[in-house]
C-alpha cells in the first residue's frame, strides 16, 4: 500500500482532533465517518500483516475519538 494512503488517514484524523478541540462535534462526526469509510476501503484491499496492524491502530484511534465526540455532546447538552 502506498504511504500516501496512510498520510490521508493521518490528515483526516488530525482534522477530527481539530474539530473536537473547537467543540465542533457535528463536523468532527462527519469527518470521522469519512475517515472510517476510507479505513474500511483500505481494509477491504489489503492482506499484508504490517498494513493490517497499522489499520487496526487507526480503528482504535477512531473509536476513541468517537467516544470523545459523544462525551462532548453530552457535556454541551
Amino acid at each position: 500500500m502506498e504511504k500516501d494512503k496512510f498520510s490521508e488517514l493521518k490528515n483526516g484524523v488530525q482534522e477530527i482532533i481539530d474539530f473536537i478541540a473547537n467543540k465542533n462535534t457535528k463536523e468532527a462526526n462527519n469527518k470521522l465517518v469519512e475517515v472510517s469509510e476510507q479505513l474500511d476501503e483500505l481494509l477491504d484491499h489489503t492482506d499484508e500483516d504490517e498494513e493490517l496492524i497499522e489499520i487496526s491502530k487507526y480503528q482504535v484511534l477512531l473509536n476513541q475519538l468517537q467516544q470523545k465526540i459523544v462525551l462532548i455532546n453530552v457535556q454541551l447538552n
Side-chain angles (χ1 to χ4, degrees):
M1 182 182 326
E2 303 162 3
K3 288 290 182 189
D4 62 316
K5 295 292 183 183
F6 284 115
S7 294
E8 281 182 41
L9 287 175
K10 183 178 177 183
N11 291 338
V13 167
Q14 185 59 55
E15 285 183 54
I16 296 166
I17 292 169
D18 292 343
F19 286 133
I20 290 172
N22 292 321
K23 300 208 183 316
N24 187 346
T25 56
K26 182 178 180 183
E27 289 300 322
N29 198 51
N30 290 342
K31 190 65 180 182
L32 186 121
V33 169
E34 179 183 320
V35 173
S36 294
E37 289 172 355
Q38 290 174 344
L39 197 60
D40 289 343
E41 185 71 23
L42 289 176
L43 186 59
D44 288 344
H45 294 96
T46 191
D47 57 356
E48 294 182 31
D49 288 344
E50 198 172 295
E51 293 173 359
L52 292 171
I53 291 168
E54 190 70 18
I55 290 169
S56 69
K57 291 176 185 177
Y58 277 99
Q59 288 174 322
V60 170
L61 179 56
L62 291 179
N63 188 29
Q64 291 173 338
L65 291 173
Q66 183 179 28
Q67 291 174 10
K68 184 66 174 173
I69 292 168
V70 169
L71 181 63
I72 292 171
N73 278 332
V74 167
Q75 290 173 345
L76 291 177
N77 291 328

